[in-house]
Amino acid sequence: MPNSPADLPPLLAFGAHPDDLEFGCGGLLAQESRAGRPVHLVVTSRGEAGTNGTPEIRTREAEAAAAALGATLEFIELDGDAHLEVKAAHAIKLAGIIRRHRPQIVLAPTLVENQHPDHWRLGQLVRDACRLARFGGLAELRELAPHAIGHLFFYAITADAEPTSPPSALIDVSDAAVIRAWSDAMNAHASQQKTRNYTELQLTRARLLGLRAGCEHAIPLWANDPLVIDSLGALGRSARRF
């Protein structure tokens, strides 16, 4: 039986554009939501610099995708699509969101620079924000209680954005209902499918990673910090099958 939302602390996921989270880690988001974990998505632009789709269209697509994932969604304004800069003010604003939602787990784009510049810059800003959220003396956030997250994980929106180091974890998202929800969320971004079939691309990528891990589909995550395991009994299976 799924856990009740009160059993699991929130997951907070950041994306630079309306489709980043769905394409990069949508299966994981759907799986966590179905398990009863509150999942909240924060998107820092409306894709206004994109080749296909207007900001209004892309906003509606993101809302439909979030509904398919069972997540809540908010848009925030930073510098706009393709104009994001790494600024202390932005990190503090994101830290305020972290304090407001008080997540256990935070997801952000990888820091690999050979991708859309908004992606890795947002990853850096979220990493800084997770640290700033803990500082009780930060004047701009005094009205919100400090909060220390449990884990910051980076997701890769494309294969090119994957770090050269192996993933810290491969998340098994093979459940058929999860794959359907993930596919529905990706397909909601119809304007972006004019560029290429992102749904098929991401499912194929997850399928290859799943074959490596001995399951049907998997999503890679990279931990910002070493994971602390209470005992070897808490470990899951390894991706090495031989």
Side-chain angles (χ1 to χ4, degrees):
M1 173 178 288
N3 295 309
S4 69
D7 294 331
L8 296 171
L11 184 156
L12 185 60
F14 291 89
H17 308 103
D19 52 18
D20 291 348
L21 286 160
E22 292 86 333
F23 293 152
C25 60
L28 169 60
L29 299 173
Q31 181 161 278
E32 291 300 311
S33 173
R34 289 179 60 82
R37 187 187 299 277
V39 175
H40 185 66
L41 314 181
V42 179
V43 180
T44 63
S45 81
R46 296 178 188 264
E48 55 270 20
T51 302
N52 296 311
T54 65
E56 293 76 18
I57 289 172
R58 300 196 68 185
T59 297
R60 291 195 297 270
E61 291 175 343
E63 291 169 346
L69 296 174
T72 54
L73 168 69
E74 71 175 294
F75 286 91
I76 64 169
E77 298 298 328
L78 295 182
D79 297 313
D81 186 8
H83 293 79
L84 184 62
E85 297 182 13
V86 177
K87 303 175 184 176
H90 291 344
I92 291 170
K93 184 171 185 175
L94 298 182
I97 295 172
I98 292 169
R99 288 192 182 189
R100 175 158 50 90
H101 287 276
R102 313 190 73 77
Q104 172 69 11
I105 300 169
V106 173
L107 301 181
T110 60
L111 306 181
V112 174
E113 293 191 9
N114 188 24
Q115 58 177 316
H116 193 300
D118 288 356
H119 295 169
W120 68 264
R121 288 172 180 160
L122 178 61
Q124 182 175 334
L125 285 167
V126 173
R127 183 184 63 185
D128 293 346
C130 289
R131 188 176 296 272
L132 295 178
R134 304 200 309 256
F135 297 164
L138 195 59
E140 294 91 332
L141 299 179
R142 282 179 180 161
E143 74 280 5
L144 297 167
H147 177 69
I149 70 166
H151 301 283
L152 169 61
F153 288 106
F154 297 107
Y155 65 92
I157 298 166
T158 65
D160 293 335
E162 295 183 4
T164 56
S165 60
S168 304
L170 290 172
I171 311 300
D172 184 348
V173 294
S174 304
D175 182 84
V178 169
I179 294 298
R180 284 195 299 272
W182 184 17
S183 298
D184 288 345
M186 290 190 287
N187 288 333
H189 292 282
S191 68
Q192 303 312 294
Q193 306 282 358
K194 296 177 182 178
T195 302
R196 59 176 56 90
N197 189 338
Y198 283 110
T199 300
E200 184 63 27
L201 177 64
Q202 298 295 358
L203 290 175
T204 299
R205 178 176 163 224
R207 177 63 177 141
L208 290 172
L209 288 163
L211 287 170
R212 171 183 173 186
C215 61
E216 291 294 323
H217 294 84
I219 290 176
L221 294 178
W222 288 262
N224 187 63
D225 301 292
L227 303 180
V228 178
I229 306 297
D230 291 333
S231 75
L232 293 178
L235 292 172
R237 65 188 185 276
S238 169
R240 189 172 295 279
R241 309 298 293 175
F242 57 89

